[in-house]
């Protein structure tokens, strides 16, 4: 979703927390807190500035997980191991 330019609202489950940054690349709330989730979604839908901020930060964060970046990182690690 970050790479597609979609603002993210999700829960603080470990998988989401490890990929996103609460307040920057995503708006995260506690799992099972329906009221907090609704408020976060409402916040993102109502504020074009907040949406734009989440989208911009999400795009930057997504670049860190791009296949090109990951391939470069793996290549660098293999080269270090071979030295």
């Amino acid at each position: 979703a970050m790479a597609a330019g979609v603002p993210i609202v999700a829960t603080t489950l470990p998988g989401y927390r490890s990929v996103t940054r609460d307040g920057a690349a995503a708006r995260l709330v506690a799992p099972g807190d329906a009221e907090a989730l609704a408020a976060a979604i409402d916040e993102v839908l109502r504020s074009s500035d907040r949406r734009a901020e989440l989208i911009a930060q999400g795009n930057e964060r997504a670049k860190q997980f791009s296949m090109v970046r990951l391939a470069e990182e793996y290549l660098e690690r293999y080269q270090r191991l071979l030295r």
Side-chain angles (χ1 to χ4, degrees):
M2 289 186 291
V6 177
I8 296 180
V9 177
T11 64
T12 57
L13 292 173
Y16 295 130
R17 275 196 328 259
S18 69
V19 174
T20 64
R21 298 287 189 261
D22 186 24
R27 178 66 173 85
L28 302 179
V29 299
D33 189 342
E35 287 181 18
L37 182 61
I41 291 170
D42 187 60
E43 169 194 332
V44 171
L45 289 175
R46 290 181 185 271
S47 174
S48 60
D49 290 342
R50 184 67 173 126
R51 271 195 317 278
E53 177 186 342
L54 288 172
I55 290 168
Q57 293 294 323
N59 282 331
E60 287 303 310
R61 183 72 175 140
K63 289 176 187 176
Q64 296 174 7
F65 298 99
S66 75
M67 291 310 297
V68 170
R69 167 124 172 33
L70 291 174
E72 289 170 353
E73 185 176 324
Y74 290 140
L75 179 60
E76 181 181 308
R77 288 181 186 192
Y78 285 126
Q79 289 171 338
R80 266 189 280 145
L81 288 171
L82 291 173
R83 286 185 215 139

